[in-house]
Amino acid sequence: MVGFDAGPDQIAALKAGTVQALVAQQPETIGVDAVQQAVLALDGGTVTPDIQTGFSIITPENVDATTAAYKSQC
């Protein structure tokens, strides 16, 4: 089974073997892109209608080294 997102509960499920992999979005990139597009729109610039932000695959082999896991606290 492959899960979607990489919050603390999903990472725990991966480490426990409940899921075999996770597809993690790039929340920081999504936020940065959103703010940039909002500023462009407010300033009368041209916005990009479709933006691909990418993703990461997290597996038991790379879970401890990944930077794609979501932070539950700042």
Side-chain angles (χ1 to χ4, degrees):
M1 179 189 310
V2 176
F4 188 76
D5 281 339
D9 291 340
Q10 289 85 10
I11 294 293
L14 178 66
K15 288 183 175 184
T18 306
V19 297
Q20 286 67 50
L22 299 170
V23 178
Q25 298 180 68
Q26 306 298 325
E28 180 179 356
T29 302
I30 293 168
V32 168
D33 288 346
V35 170
Q36 288 174 342
Q37 293 298 303
V39 170
L40 281 170
L42 291 170
D43 289 344
T46 302
V47 298
T48 306
D50 295 307
I51 299 175
Q52 296 299 319
T53 57
F55 60 90
S56 298
I57 304 296
I58 305 173
T59 65
E61 292 76 27
N62 68 6
V63 66
D64 291 325
T66 188
T67 59
Y70 306 162
K71 295 180 171 112
S72 60
Q73 299 177 15
C74 293

